[in-house]
Amino acid sequence: MLPFFAILLFPVDVLIISDGTHSYVGLLGEKDVEITYIHSVQRSEVIEELKVNKTGIYAIGMLWKDFGAGLPEDVQYSESGYYVKKVNIPLGKSLSFWFIPLNHAKIIVNKDVVLSITKEALVNFNVKKCPLILAIMGRCGYGN
């Protein structure tokens, strides 16, 4: 019985995404994350692509529909009505995005919507270690 409890206390790598009210906790191997939103100024859709694993968060691409304030100008190619830029930029183990209701932001992990932002919110992404039992229960809160 004791070895079973020891396993539950074993630290595992997790991705935590939290808007302060709702949280997603996912065990890490590797996760594909998309952040989709309507650009506050241009009012067009933007998709930011991330790859997350135990070593951290990586920006791997961006798709956008037009040019303007805060949007890239260095297009690599276009596809399905989007301009596309692929990169591989390490961002560390934490990342934050500020969204307002006008953004209609969605956070998608491995093709599943895990957060839909409907109010003004700071969304935090964090890669950390957490005891297996807390990860299973989804209780590895941001900042723990």
Side-chain angles (χ1 to χ4, degrees):
M1 188 74 127
L2 188 57
F4 175 72
F5 288 115
I7 290 171
L8 291 176
L9 296 176
F10 188 79
V12 294
D13 296 300
V14 295
L15 168 63
I16 301 166
I17 304 171
S18 177
D19 66 3
T21 304
H22 304 94
S23 293
Y24 161 85
V25 177
L27 292 172
L28 283 174
E30 190 163 88
K31 303 275 188 203
D32 293 315
V33 177
E34 283 187 1
I35 303 162
T36 66
Y37 58 93
I38 303 300
H39 191 276
S40 300
V41 176
Q42 297 305 117
R43 303 301 305 143
S44 60
E45 187 176 11
V46 176
I47 302 170
E48 297 197 31
E49 300 172 317
L50 306 173
K51 188 75 75 178
V52 183
N53 60 42
K54 68 181 181 177
T55 65
I57 303 166
Y58 299 83
I60 61 165
M62 185 172 185
L63 295 85
W64 68 100
K65 293 209 171 211
D66 56 24
F67 297 98
L71 291 170
E73 295 179 4
D74 52 339
V75 176
Q76 291 173 334
Y77 60 95
S78 61
E79 178 179 285
S80 303
Y82 289 93
Y83 298 108
V84 180
K85 180 177 180 179
K86 295 294 183 180
V87 295
N88 186 11
I89 302 170
L91 302 173
K93 291 194 172 195
S94 63
L95 176 67
S96 297
F97 281 82
W98 184 262
F99 292 111
I100 58 176
L102 191 64
N103 296 131
H104 302 284
K106 289 187 177 33
I107 312 300
I108 302 161
V109 177
N110 291 347
K111 308 273 186 215
D112 293 324
V113 176
V114 299
L115 285 177
S116 290
I117 310 305
T118 58
K119 61 181 179 134
E120 190 171 314
L122 180 65
V123 179
N124 295 298
F125 297 72
N126 196 7
V127 172
K128 63 185 255 182
K129 291 205 179 284
C130 176
L132 177 60
I133 185 67
L134 294 179
I136 291 168
M137 295 169 53
R139 300 287 182 175
C140 300
Y142 184 79
N144 283 354

